[in-house]
Amino acid sequence: MRALIHDPDLTFGVVPDPVPTPSQALVRVASFSLNFGEVAYRSADVRPGHVPGWDAAGVVVRAAADGSGPAAGARVVTFGWSGAWAELRAVDTAELAVVPEAVDLGTAGALPVAGVAALQAVRRLGPLTGRRVLVTGASGGVGRYAVQLAAREGARVVASVGSPARAEGLRELGAAEIVRGPENLEGRVYGVLDNVGGRQLTQAFYRLEDDGVVMAVGRAAREAAVIDFELAGTRSARGRIENFNVTTPFGDDLAHLVGLLAAGELDAQIGWRGPWDKAKEAAEALLARRVAGKAVLDL
Ligand SMILES: NC(=O)c1ccc[n+]([C@@H]2O[C@H](COP(=O)([O-])OP(=O)(O)OC[C@H]3O[C@@H](n4cnc5c(N)ncnc54)[C@H](OP(=O)(O)O)[C@@H]3O)[C@@H](O)[C@H]2O)c1
């Protein structure tokens, strides 16, 4: 089959078709989306013939041998830590969800890592009704889902972006306030969903309410955070920072998010879409902060 492989750039190659384990379905990929992590750190992943890629949507061509998961012909959105950027993907049936006809496969393919991370991080913040929640990197893939999902939980969402242009569409998604970096935030917040790390994490922490919590989701700035826990006037009494990582399996959370898409209650925020031979262009746009939300590639 044809696949995108690293050499260490993104190029096409021909690799053997994947051989599913008994609990895996074989899926013909229709679309996949790019995530910051798999693009920014891809050189760490170079092995001969390795097919990267986390998120993909497509059609089941062979159901799992153990009888789990959907039958051949089902439209599905899938997650795994490799293998998405190819014509065929073998995927554990616990890591997929069925996509109804009303939902475009490319739209569903924009869900997995960004959508599930946002969903799980918002849940970990606890009850949000009436609480002020800051989302940093709100213009990006995780950020645009987090704004919507936190607003759905009743939070007053503050979206932090790098420039006014990057804020486009965020109010329509549920942001009540927009700030240009947490350093410009007035007052305090109960929760932070931090996608940027570094100085933004530091500044967000200094603005926590007494029992507030930061979910340290990402580190798009690729810099370390330095925090002075005794800085006068900034201390929240018991505010804490939690290291967040998505937990697998994704299947149930993907089904929930697909349901929201189908009901028109969630928007996948596709900011870049094109054929998969433009993967390099899409990856460059993502890292250059030129994509509002998700980049999706169609096969
Ligand atoms: N822990 C987990 O389980 C998990 C899961 C998913 C993602 N992540 C991490 O979460 C972060 C966000 O992921 P994503 O997919 O939403 O990425 P993304 O779509 O590229 O969005 C990242 C956002 O961060 C902001 N940003 C600020 N400074 C930046 C810089 N120096 N370089 C790049 N972006 C910068 C950008 O907003 P402005 O342009 O408006 O400044 C951008 O929209 C990444 O670090 C990713 O690895 C972690």
Side-chain angles (χ1 to χ4, degrees), residues 36 117 139-142 162 166 195-196 217-221 244-246 289:
F36 179 90
S139 53
V142 177
R166 297 288 282 158
N195 295 302
V196 177
V217 176
R219 199 170 155 268
F244 172 87
N245 275 302
V246 279
R289 296 151 76 174

Side-chain angles (χ1 to χ4, degrees), residues 34-38 40-41 54 81 112-118 120 136-144 160-163 165-167 170 194-197 200 216-223 243-247 250 285-295:
L34 300 180
N35 291 283
F36 179 90
E38 61 191 337
Y41 307 121
W54 299 340
W81 289 122
V113 171
V116 171
Q120 293 182 354
T136 69
S139 53
V142 177
R144 284 177 183 265
S160 170
V161 292
S163 65
R166 297 288 282 158
L170 287 173
D194 175 46
N195 295 302
V196 177
Q200 295 210 18
V217 176
R219 199 170 155 268
R222 288 187 262 188
E223 62 177 19
N243 178 25
F244 172 87
N245 275 302
V246 279
T247 23
F250 275 25
L286 186 70
L287 294 188
R289 296 151 76 174
R290 284 188 273 109
V291 177
K294 296 294 300 175

Side-chain angles (χ1 to χ4, degrees), residues 12-64:
F12 282 98
V14 175
V15 296
D17 289 358
V19 180
T21 65
S23 61
Q24 288 183 326
L26 189 65
V27 173
R28 181 162 299 283
V29 174
S31 298
F32 58 82
S33 80
L34 300 180
N35 291 283
F36 179 90
E38 61 191 337
V39 175
Y41 307 121
R42 67 178 187 253
S43 58
D45 218 14
V46 182
R47 296 191 301 281
H50 175 73
V51 180
W54 299 340
D55 305 347
V59 176
V60 175
V61 289
R62 199 186 317 144

